[in-house]
Every structure is written in C-alpha cells, then in structure tokens.
Amino acid sequence: MNYIKLVFSLKDRYQESFIAELMEMDFYGFEQFDDRLVAYVEKPRYNDSNRELIEQLIGVYPDARFIEMEDIEEQNWNEEWEKTIQPQFIGKFLVRPTWSDLKAPKDHILLEIDPKMAFGTGYHATTRLMLNRFSAINFKGKNVMDAGTGTGILAIASVKLGAETAIGFDVDNWSEVNATENALINGVNDLVEIRFGSTEQIEDDEYFNVTLANINRNVILEILPFLVQHTSSGGDICLTGLLDSDEEIIRENLKEQPVKVIDKTQEDEWILFHLKKQ
C-alpha cells in the first residue's frame, strides 16, 4: 500500500485539534514538531473531498499553511519511529520504546510504550503534565478510569503506582490494540482493561477513585458531567489536553459540578486541572 505524506506549517498549540480533524478523514500517522506537522494517509483514502476539507481547515487555523505533498511507498514504520522516539524521564517515570535498552534508575518506574500513532508517547506536553501530576495522587488500591486512553500510557502508569485496576476507553480503533499490547509489554495486562468506544463503555454502576482525561477542550466540556458522576466522592480528577486560553471556560463549567480545584499546572501553553470530587 502506498501512502500520501502531507506537511503543514502549524503552531504546536493547534496541532492536536488539527490531528483530530485529519483522523476523521482516515489519516492515521503523524509526526509533530514545534511549528510543523507531518500527516500520512493511505493513497486510496486521499480524495477530492478530503483535499477540499483540508483547504478549509488551513483557513481556520492562524498562520497555518500547506508546505508539500509526497507520494511514498510502504515502509517499515517501526524503523521510522526508532529515528524519532527516544527515552525520556518524566517525574517518577522513565518512558522508553521497547527498542531502547536504557535502564531505569532504582528511583524511577519503567514505562515501555510502543506507539502506533503519535499520541501518548510522553512527547506531548499534556502527557508529561499528567505523569508529573501523578506524584500528587495516591493510587494504591484505587480504581482508575482513563478517558481517551490512546497508547494506554496513563492507565499503565497508574497500575505501576499501585492502582488495583485501570479501565481505559478510546474512540480510535487503533487504540484498543495498541494500548492492550502496551499493557502486555509492561506486564500489567491483568489489571488494565481497554475498551473501544466512548462513555457508553462505562456501566452505570461503575465508579472510580481516580479519573483521567487527556483529550481536548470540546470533548472534555461534553463529557465533564459524566466524568464527575463516575468519580467516587473524595476521588481525584485530572483534566488536560487544554490550552491556557481554555482556562476561563473550563473554570466556568466546573462551577456547575461538585468538585474543588486542587491545582492547575502548566507546560508551555498547555494546562492541567487537578480536581477533587466533593
């Protein structure tokens, strides 16, 4: 199968939402840089309709522009990832791909994540915000919900910190396979359950001590009541995938929920809210 490679000039703060739009058009490989986004799609799936939609998208995002398009033959994507994904230390964790042999120091917890997509590898600020925030949460014996689990990195990290169980769900079909594989790689597959779909995957009588959501503003606003409802009283809720420009609207919506803002942390223009369910 041949692929189309598209390169865009796009500020980092807009890339997550731009990627979400492209995924609706069956794009499923991405490389993110400071002001550049590379996207891949199977050649038969790139049609006139998608081209028109992309032109409209570029007009929506400030200073966005199309740079180039390239026809590429099928290649070994794992080899491509090996060139770009490197180990990194984040809070208590060493996050590394399985092809790295870097050893975790005694005071760090190893997370091995083989990404099939450019989400949840630890390279994005929102994932780092979450993993750094985990030091403020007691996971021991807790039940965890990970909304928009991606590679499963947050669910896996939760269990490695002592959580009894972690349930992750995601609307992207690649996530179910990838997150399940990563749970197996990390030896926590008996404690981490990955479900394909959205909030309907959580039963009415399922409640969690810790709720995590690294998605985007629009989705978080849509499912916020659900997230709060399914968090046990006294439980922790961490929300990210949010820009600093989203802070005001998020705070307004939080006023309608039985939660207290414990802290707000930030990396570059990305923010995380740590809440406590009342």
Side-chain angles (χ1 to χ4, degrees), residues 219-229 239 253-254 257:
V219 175
I220 285 178
L221 290 175
E222 179 183 347
I223 69 174
L224 181 59
F226 166 86
L227 298 176
V228 175
Q229 177 186 348
L239 308 175
N253 278 263
L254 290 176
Q257 301 297 325

Side-chain angles (χ1 to χ4, degrees), residues 57-70:
L57 272 179
I58 291 173
V60 169
Y61 291 88
D63 301 322
R65 62 185 178 86
F66 173 74
I67 296 178
E68 65 177 349
M69 181 178 74
E70 181 181 354

Side-chain angles (χ1 to χ4, degrees), residues 1-3 28 41-45 72-75 77:
M1 177 70 69
N2 285 6
Y3 293 80
Y28 66 95
V41 65
E42 292 178 354
K43 192 170 183 178
R45 296 181 180 273
I72 58 175
E73 296 182 357
E74 186 171 9
Q75 53 190 289
W77 294 106

Side-chain angles (χ1 to χ4, degrees), residues 71-86:
D71 229 347
I72 58 175
E73 296 182 357
E74 186 171 9
Q75 53 190 289
N76 186 330
W77 294 106
N78 284 337
E79 289 182 359
E80 294 302 310
W81 282 122
E82 289 180 28
K83 297 175 185 176
T84 58
I85 304 297
Q86 298 298 321

Side-chain angles (χ1 to χ4, degrees), residues 3 36 52-53 85 112-113 138 152 206 227 264:
Y3 293 80
R36 186 162 59 94
E52 292 178 5
L53 288 173
I85 304 297
E112 292 189 281
I113 303 297
N138 177 14
E206 285 186 296
L227 298 176
K264 185 209 80 176

